Amino acid sequence: MAERIDDLLCRGFRIIQDSEGFCFGMDAVLLANYALPAVREGSQLLDLGTGTGVIPLLLSAKTKAQRLYGLEIQKSAADLAERSVALNGQEGRIQILRGDIRRIRDFPLASRMDLVLSNPPYLKSGIRSKEEGRQIARHEILCSFHDVTEAASYLLKASGRFFLVHRAERLTDIVSDLRESGLEPKRLRMVHSRAGREAKLLLLEAVKGGRPQLHVEPPLIVYGEGGAYTEELLSLYRGEAYL
């Protein structure tokens, strides 16, 4: 393991990561900020497949949520997440749970969450990394997307909100699984690497027991002219765009 400490660029928060394992990327930052307006003072939220805990850490830094949980199946990642929680003095607010999304009912958290978030494995098939942690993070090896939606539905209160980031090409399957789990898609934003290119990612909000009505928002463009990040993308990293 080759550990490093990265600055989260928010209130001095830092995160411990393994350079040889799976490290968080832009998609996790986009997801945390997409959910940001829904996090109220006193909220409880849970991140499914939290990895090294970047989403609970970001939302702890940027909100007044009362309690934040991260569920992670890989011991090495969960251990790093717990150490990052302690590094930032957030033991009283963030709890890292070690467990399997498919066995979510082992945790006494039914209908307790105001929000659930997930940056799940994107791929059903394809070339797999030789590093096991990256395989599990990227491919549906230990859980399917339907397992994720079922877990989110179990955890959420009535009218609770589920936020996710995923591959745009999986949209049809995503909507089908969400509805089967009683989660109605309400807000959708496509993420494009550049203007005029097809979407690569999507950000989506669903509501438990919500009525059918989907709002499709303007696209998010990552790179502008010259390959630099767009101003909106930079404002998302700073946590400004959705506030």
Side-chain angles (χ1 to χ4, degrees), residues 49-147:
T50 198
T52 53
V54 62
I55 289 176
L57 286 168
L58 285 172
L59 291 178
S60 180
K62 296 179 179 183
T63 74
K64 294 183 178 180
Q66 179 181 9
R67 192 69 172 164
L68 306 94
Y69 299 89
L71 177 68
E72 176 55 42
I73 194 170
Q74 297 188 73
K75 183 180 185 303
S76 58
D79 288 346
L80 290 174
E82 288 180 343
R83 289 169 55 202
S84 291
V85 169
L87 178 67
N88 294 285
Q90 295 300 299
E91 298 97 324
R93 295 180 68 203
I94 301 176
Q95 182 178 356
I96 302 301
L97 307 173
R98 171 90 190 282
D100 190 331
I101 286 173
R102 296 169 297 184
R103 298 183 60 86
I104 193 64
R105 286 168 176 78
D106 291 347
F107 298 93
L109 298 173
S111 304
R112 284 178 52 183
M113 298 299 129
D114 300 290
L115 289 83
V116 172
L117 301 92
S118 187
N119 177 11
Y122 291 158
L123 306 173
K124 286 187 174 182
S125 60
I127 299 173
R128 295 183 179 181
S129 168
K130 294 180 180 179
E131 202 278 318
E132 183 181 20
R134 295 182 183 181
Q135 285 189 31
I136 292 170
R138 292 172 176 166
H139 297 264
E140 293 185 353
I141 297 171
L142 298 184
C143 71
S144 66
F145 182 69
H146 184 67
D147 294 325

Side-chain angles (χ1 to χ4, degrees), residues 142-158:
L142 298 184
C143 71
S144 66
F145 182 69
H146 184 67
D147 294 325
V148 173
T149 61
E150 286 292 290
S153 184
Y154 166 80
L155 292 164
L156 284 169
K157 299 176 179 178

